[in-house]
Amino acid sequence: MSSPAFKETTLRRISPRLAVSVVTFALGLTLSAGCAIDKGTALAAEFEEDWAGTPDVATIRTTKNNTLPFKGTSDGTLVVEDGTPADRVTRLAGEMREYVARHDKITGRIMADGVTCTVVADTRRTHEVLALWRSLTADTRVVNADIDDAPWKEATERWRIEVTAADATGALAVFKDMLAGGDRHQPLSGVTVLQVRGPGLFVETDFHDGFPAEAIAAYEAVLARYPVAGASLRRDAVAGSAVDIVVAKSADQDHARELARKAAPNLGAAVDVTSRSAG
């Protein structure tokens, strides 16, 4: 019975001021070790501080992901001033590559001339992304683009690329060029998930991140015969790709559907053609 009374008496003798000092000291040790309670917020603040005042950087954007107490991640984007030479952007990317190699919980990105790209620690992959950035910014068919590192399961080298093109013709041409090794854009090594959109067309890689050959064939078969008002060639878990094509009301809808499905026999009912009045 004496032991519990002794513990209670001892606790009562600790002054409130001392208790606060002990807690403050403990928190200070935690924060000084880089283990902030809101880790994502702290990483974002660190990124902004580290890159503040960098020449040719107009804006610094950050996001914060506080997953659990003392755990989190952050994305940091350097928005480069308009008109900055490509060589300077390349040097910034090299500095960013070294930075993310030292900060594994921070994703570093650079936005220049309408194209945003993620810079990874791997030198080879960074060089590939920079080459694609250069070709995309030089392509007059491209309005803007985003190249992001997106590993998934066993595909540790996997990119997710979204491109907006000026029109449907340009959208399909850019899509083919980026995946099929055309003269304009060199495909990235590893797996690529690609989405390209333009007025009247949306096209993306199939469910297995591959080139949607049949979906494109279906679209082109209809386009060769009838004016197409709009089309969506999207990934589908069952067929691999699903195709929705809209033709003018004056077109022979049934014939257009027949053309599309004949060009994509393995997609079956995942290919559909509808019509609408002009305007």
Side-chain angles (χ1 to χ4, degrees):
M1 295 297 291
S2 60
S3 182
F6 173 77
K7 289 182 179 179
E8 183 178 354
T9 301
T10 303
L11 289 173
R12 286 177 178 173
R13 288 177 180 174
I14 298 178
S15 69
R17 181 178 299 176
L18 179 58
V20 171
S21 298
V22 170
V23 172
T24 302
F25 177 73
L27 285 175
L29 288 176
T30 299
L31 293 175
S32 66
C35 298
I37 294 177
D38 293 328
K39 182 69 172 179
T41 301
L43 289 171
E46 180 182 2
F47 184 91
E48 292 174 358
E49 180 180 355
D50 290 342
W51 290 94
T54 301
D56 303 310
V57 173
T59 308
I60 298 175
R61 299 174 182 171
T62 58
T63 63
K64 36 194 174 286
N65 181 22
N66 298 308
T67 52
L68 291 170
F70 306 106
K71 290 186 178 181
T73 59
S74 176
D75 289 359
T77 303
L78 304 182
V79 182
V80 180
E81 292 178 351
D82 292 340
T84 299
D87 288 347
R88 172 57 178 154
V89 176
T90 299
R91 289 196 298 272
L92 280 172
E95 294 172 14
M96 181 67 76
R97 187 194 65 77
E98 295 176 354
Y99 185 86
V100 296
R102 300 191 306 268
H103 301 78
D104 63 343
K105 298 301 181 182
I106 296 179
T107 298
R109 314 196 76 210
I110 292 178
M111 178 179 179
D113 293 333
V115 177
T116 305
C117 58
T118 297
V119 179
V120 298
D122 183 84
T123 303
R124 173 186 56 80
R125 297 183 72 204
T126 295
H127 286 167
E128 287 185 359
V129 167
L130 282 172
L132 183 55
W133 170 80
R134 284 175 179 265
S135 62
L136 286 172
T137 55
D139 192 336
T140 57
R141 301 169 301 184
V142 174
V143 176
N144 56 64
D146 189 293
I147 310 167
D148 197 10
D149 184 33
W152 176 253
K153 295 183 178 179
E154 69 278 0
T156 55
E157 284 196 23
R158 183 173 183 266
W159 298 100
R160 181 179 182 86
I161 306 175
E162 298 179 6
V163 179
T164 301
D167 52 41
T169 301
L172 186 58
V174 169
F175 185 90
K176 289 181 176 180
D177 202 353
M178 292 183 67
L179 287 185
D183 295 334
R184 186 71 67 91
H185 305 294
Q186 184 64 36
L188 298 174
S189 61
V191 178
T192 298
V193 180
L194 176 62
Q195 293 181 346
V196 182
R197 67 184 73 239
L201 178 65
F202 171 80
V203 54
E204 67 178 340
T205 43
D206 65 23
F207 186 72
H208 303 290
D209 301 332
F211 185 78
E214 286 200 33
I216 291 176
Y219 170 72
E220 292 182 322
V222 176
L223 186 64
R225 180 65 177 82
Y226 299 105
V228 173
S232 173
L233 286 59
R234 65 189 187 279
R235 61 201 293 120
D236 181 79
V238 177
S241 290
V243 180
D244 292 302
I245 302 172
V246 181
V247 295
K249 199 72 174 178
S250 58
D252 186 336
Q253 178 181 327
D254 291 337
H255 182 233
R257 183 182 296 111
E258 180 184 348
L259 289 173
R261 292 185 175 177
K262 184 177 180 180
N266 294 314
L267 300 186
V271 177
D272 194 22
V273 177
T274 57
S275 63
R276 71 180 182 209
S277 300

